[in-house]
Amino acid sequence: MADIGYIALVLSLIVCIFSAAASILGKRSNHPKLASSARNGIFVAFGLVTLAAIVLINALQTHDFRIEYVTSYTSSDMSWPYLFSAFWAGNAGSLLLWGWFLSFFAVIMVLWKREPTKDLIPYASSVLMLTTAFFLLLLVFFANPFEELSFVPPEGNGLNPLLQNPGMIFHPPIILAGFAALTLPFAFAMSVLITKREGRDWLVELRRWALIAWIFLSVGNVLGAWWAYVELGWGGYWGWDPVENLSFIPWLVTTALLHSVILQRAKGRDRLWTIVLTIIVFNLTILATLITRTSVLSSVHAFSNTGMGFLFLVFMELALIIPLILL
């Protein structure tokens, strides 16, 4: 089963890259079949990432200790809710969940498109597929959740006692969903810059996804504050842990983005500020991931140094430089 999961990740990486390239080429060359292939690629990528996620969940639930990830974060005496939450307890699993959310939102974006922004969808989906491909690249080459051990241990290490809390079941996936959803406003802003789109009709899509991300982050931050207070007693609601700040600051910037969108839709002003805020908030999510997966700052939330910091820095630089050039 582990091989099936890994092959699904490899195939989804290839499909994402193809879909990203085909979306732009199909639009630029006015090639309907190529554009249709790119659209179908989004659905195929989602199916493959979902298959990989199902394989990992099955391995966690069946105590398949041949897989290193299962051994590291589960034990045979854990109840099924915490076995399920072990999916995002480690670096590889949380990256896989992030990739799944991105592919899921890409499907929703394609199915939920509106006529005024139809011309922007190929460029937006290309940005989204490239972002998904980046996370899949990390999973395939640097953080394989299906890596097998050379022997089968009789028992796993289990989940950290601090993580055996109902907050673990809800807080991390909701925050990750918010981070992934913030890719959509960035994708639409990039498509507007690429096409030099005028008018204000595209703001409806940007506002919709910014609001969805804002709701996820709002709920996730409240749950995280409650969990921290109950489990660690951090003096009320917040201990200002670095990673907590890195989930709270995107919420603040997203709030500003929503206000900017309202002003631009109502009065036609702050167009530049709206686009800049989408670029900033997207890069803040990448920065949060960078901090969480390196030893740059000390945090109870951070994983041990995963060696992927350089890759996140390169990706963040590209996500800053390319939009600024277009701007």
Side-chain angles (χ1 to χ4, degrees), residues 7 210 276 318:
I7 292 171
V276 168
L318 292 173

Side-chain angles (χ1 to χ4, degrees), residues 152-207:
V152 181
E155 186 55 87
N157 298 331
L159 200 61
N160 187 316
L162 293 178
L163 301 182
Q164 297 188 37
N165 181 287
M168 179 62 184
I169 301 172
F170 303 105
H171 165 67
I174 292 175
I175 288 291
L176 286 178
F179 280 178
L182 285 172
T183 309
L184 276 296
F186 174 75
F188 276 104
M190 288 289 290
S191 63
V192 167
L193 291 175
I194 292 171
T195 59
K196 300 180 180 180
R197 180 71 169 262
E198 298 294 335
R200 288 176 256 175
D201 52 0
W202 58 276
L203 289 169
V204 176
E205 292 289 343
L206 192 147
R207 177 184 177 275

Side-chain angles (χ1 to χ4, degrees), residues 72-75 78 82 85-86 89 157-165 168 227 231-232 300-302:
S72 297
Y73 297 103
T74 68
S75 59
M78 286 172 55
Y82 293 118
S85 68
N157 298 331
L159 200 61
N160 187 316
L162 293 178
L163 301 182
Q164 297 188 37
N165 181 287
M168 179 62 184
W227 181 14
E231 197 69 40
L232 297 175
V300 296
H301 298 77

Side-chain angles (χ1 to χ4, degrees), residues 18 64 68 78 80 103 105 109 128 153 161 168 176 181 192 204 207 213 242 245 271 287 289-291 295 303 308:
F18 165 78
D64 188 354
E68 190 272 336
M78 286 172 55
W80 73 264
S103 62
F105 288 143
M109 180 187 70
L128 198 53
M168 179 62 184
L176 286 178
V192 167
V204 176
R207 177 184 177 275
N245 291 339
R271 173 186 172 90
L287 176 63
T289 313
L290 166 67
I291 297 298
S295 55
F303 302 107
M308 295 187 292

Side-chain angles (χ1 to χ4, degrees), residues 127-139:
V127 172
L128 198 53
M129 286 291 97
L130 286 174
T131 306
T132 308
F134 170 71
F135 283 93
L136 292 172
L137 181 74
L138 297 176
L139 289 166

